[in-house]
Amino acid sequence: MTQPKQTIQAYRAAILDSIGDPAEVGIEASYRYFEDGLMVVENGQITALGEASNLLKDLPADVPVKQYTDALITPGFIDTHIHYPQTGMIASYGEQLLDWLENYTFPAEHRFEDKKHADEVADIFLTELLRNGTTTALVFGTVHPQSVDAFFEAAEQRDLRMIAGKVMMDRNAPETLTDTPESSYQDSKALIERWHGKGRLHYAVTPRFAPTSTSEQLAAAGKLLGEYEGLYMHTHLSENKQEVEWVKELFPEQNGYLDVYDHHNLLSERSVFAHGIHLCDDECKRLAETDSAIAFCPTSNLFLGSGLFDLPKMEAHKIKVGLGTDVGAGTSFSILQTINEAYKVMQLQGEKLNPFKSLYLATLGGARALKLEDKVGNLEPGTEADFTVLDYNSTPLMGYRMAQAKTLEERLFVMMTLGDDRAVQETFAAGRSVYLRD
Ligand code: GUN
Ligand code: ZN
């Protein structure tokens, strides 16, 4: 067999990445910035990063250098909570969580019984992620195993680092969308065997949320997690007040919502809980103790009227936090727009969200939430070359506003407030261009 051709390519632009959580190391020590930077990529990995003037001296003359002007290279964005089957029902009017699920979500998910439909949506979904500069995501499928096959096939084809799983749901949902503890265990196991660790793919055991699983099914989820190395656990937690009350009624023997998951051995360093808006201090303590993560999903929380996420409380408890779009309850695939809404959620609580903290949440913080920081999340040499090129002139207004901006912090904040898919000029995964605007 012939070896694939070795490739080496350099990229020259302003380059910014996150190297620590501002809450732990302070703002200034949390990022790296090269005004005229150079990043060298060999065979899908970053091999050098620094000032162009330093690195160009040692770069062999035959290495091509691609230069971007008025642009900023950042790591690819990381979306720690999203539902690919809800792509076609984003922006569905008028309901809060439980009615929204019944009236819009379940009917849309029913269609994923059809593999062809799943293939079509997986393709649209991944195209949309890459158009928005997102290179890694933790993704819900539906109850149908073929929905997950469709997703992983499409992700494998593009060589993306992705995590996904089949929904486990054995009660409180339409009969056509429910499985059983045994079938969900067997179906998940078959998917794990097929996909977990294949290329850049990982499997997440995915009980939808406590109300749609019996205790027997949650026990099956816990059993799976004990049977394979490196599996993720992905579910929802404490999103909506009615939902929290319902969980108490359904599991009276447990001490609150998080304890339902804890009792079934679902808390670990690879557990990601979406939302976590209505958590008490004991629940926060337990999340921190188990090194579990929360996905902060501001556009969804505002759209469904679920509540305001308390980021400072999570920081005080040292809980890992990433950003999630939560499409289709979330209203945008754009992590830039998700940051824009996160900023407003903080404002409503009298707090400021510094743009370097937002950068951290969107990149390295997300990678840490997913235990992938040795592979993606920043531009450290040795990590995978997943990155995006942001255009400071993406709209006339952004260009005009940028012309008034004096500091990197200001430019970054403007990018995060006005930016969306139009600001993403190019996206790279494993060193390959996977999206080029225009
Ligand atoms: N809780 C249970 N299922 C869902 C879902 O699909 N979306 C959101 N936002 N919350 C949920
Ligand atoms: Zn969700």
Side-chain angles (χ1 to χ4, degrees), residues 83 86 97 100-101 105 208-209 236 239 275 300 304 326 329:
H83 301 250
Q86 296 176 14
L97 177 64
W100 174 86
L101 282 173
T105 315
R208 176 168 220 118
F209 67 156
H236 298 90
E239 175 178 6
H275 309 300
S300 165
L304 292 182
D326 194 25

Side-chain angles (χ1 to χ4, degrees), residues 403-420:
Q404 331 293 320
K406 294 184 180 58
T407 63
L408 170 65
E409 182 168 346
E410 192 178 353
R411 288 169 82 75
L412 189 60
F413 184 66
V414 172
M415 173 60 73
M416 289 165 163
T417 307
L418 300 182
D420 52 29

